Amino acid sequence: MEYTIDELARAADTTVRSVRVYHERGLLPSPDVRGRIGYYGHNHLDRLQTISRLLSRGMKLNGIRELLDAWDRGDGLADILGVTDQPEGGEPVTPQIAEHSPGLPDYLRRALASSDDPLNDYRLSNPRCCDLATRLVDAGLAVSTAVELVERLRFDCDRLVERYAEALLYPLAGKAYAESERGPKDRTTFETNLAIGRLMTTRAIAELLDQALSRKEEPPSPLDGSLGQHLP
C-alpha cells in the first residue's frame, strides 16, 4: 500500500509537519518521488509509528535517530545495546576495565592549545559536558583542568555502562527479541523496549548519583594540585 504525505500522517495519527521534521532530522527515509508527488510505503508507516511511541516515552529525537541508524546499519544486538556479545552459555560478560582513567585526549589537547575558544570547540562534540566545564571555568578553574575533570567523569561513566549495560538492557529488551521470530513487529517491540530500558536506567542512575552527591555534607576541598591527587 502506498500513501501520500497527508495519508501517511493520518494513518500514523500525526501531522504532516512532524513527518517533514523527521525527514529533515534523518529519522524517516525519503519517499519514492514520481512526478511531483512523494509516495510512502508500509515501512515508512512502521518507522513513523515507532518514532511516535519512543517520543511518547520520553526519548529525544537525537537518541531515536541514533537507535534507528544503528539498526539500519545492520548492527548486531550487542552493538545496538552498546555491550559486548554474550557467550554461548548466556552468562554475562565481564568487560576488562582499565585501572586508571586516561589523561586528556589528544584531540582536546590540540583544541585547547590551538583554539581561541576551546570551550566552544568542546561544545560542538560534547554540549552537555561543555556546560559543566564552562561552569567550572566560571568558578575559577583553568580551562584545561575543567575539561580534564569532565573527561575523567565521562570515562568513569563509560566504565559504569560497560559493567552494567548488558545485565540491565538484555533482560529489558534483548532477551525477548532474541527469542522471537525477529519480524517487523518483533523489531518494533524491541526498539520500544530498548528505549524504555535506556530511559529507566538513565533516570535511576541520575537519582542514585543525586543521592550520593547529597551525602557529601562537608564542604568540598579545593583543587590545590594535579587532578591525580583528587581522583582515584
Side-chain angles (χ1 to χ4, degrees):
M1 183 174 182
E2 291 185 331
Y3 307 87
T4 64
I5 190 170
D6 295 293
E7 293 169 340
L8 179 68
R10 285 196 298 270
D13 194 23
T14 187
T15 65
V16 170
R17 182 177 181 277
S18 294
V19 175
R20 288 174 174 156
V21 169
Y22 301 153
H23 276 309
E24 295 170 359
R25 300 291 293 271
L27 281 81
L28 197 66
S30 297
D32 179 19
V33 179
R34 298 195 294 272
R36 293 186 175 183
I37 301 175
Y39 293 93
Y40 300 81
H42 188 69
N43 289 338
H44 290 94
L45 179 59
D46 286 344
R47 176 67 68 95
L48 195 54
Q49 291 172 333
T50 296
I51 294 169
S52 296
R53 279 193 294 271
L54 298 180
L55 285 170
S56 70
R57 287 167 172 82
M59 196 168 183
K60 303 299 184 183
L61 286 180
N62 286 342
I64 296 174
R65 183 178 61 188
E66 179 184 347
L67 175 63
L68 297 179
D69 285 349
W71 189 273
D72 291 338
R73 288 195 304 268
D75 290 353
L77 177 62
D79 296 320
I80 295 174
L81 293 176
V83 297
T84 55
D85 290 327
Q86 282 191 308
E88 294 183 1
E91 294 297 326
V93 175
T94 301
Q96 298 297 319
I97 300 174
E99 293 183 0
H100 302 288
S101 59
L104 204 61
D106 288 341
Y107 81 95
L108 283 177
R109 292 188 185 280
R110 291 194 295 270
L112 291 171
S114 62
S115 176
D116 293 332
D117 190 356
L119 283 180
N120 185 61
D121 293 345
Y122 190 41
R123 185 180 300 279
L124 294 177
S125 57
N126 304 279
R128 294 182 180 176
C129 292
C130 186
D131 289 343
L132 177 56
T134 300
R135 188 62 178 263
L136 289 168
V137 171
D138 291 343
L141 289 187
V143 172
S144 59
T145 301
V147 172
E148 183 170 358
L149 182 58
V150 174
E151 282 296 300
R152 292 197 178 206
L153 177 62
R154 182 168 66 167
F155 178 83
D156 284 338
C157 288
D158 287 343
R159 293 198 304 175
L160 186 66
V161 169
E162 287 176 356
R163 186 171 183 179
Y164 290 104
E166 186 169 7
L168 292 168
L169 295 180
Y170 185 76
L172 290 173
K175 186 175 185 296
Y177 181 76
E179 296 173 352
S180 72
E181 296 180 359
R182 306 192 183 191
K185 291 184 178 179
D186 299 316
R187 168 187 165 175
T188 299
T189 299
F190 164 70
E191 292 172 347
T192 302
N193 289 341
L194 179 59
I196 294 172
R198 288 176 59 175
L199 181 63
M200 293 180 67
T201 301
T202 299
R203 288 177 174 175
I205 291 173
E207 182 174 339
L208 292 172
L209 285 173
D210 184 65
Q211 292 174 4
L213 288 170
S214 69
R215 291 194 290 269
K216 295 292 184 180
E217 298 178 354
E218 296 296 326
S221 301
L223 285 173
D224 54 4
S226 68
L227 285 176
Q229 295 177 359
H230 302 270
L231 298 175

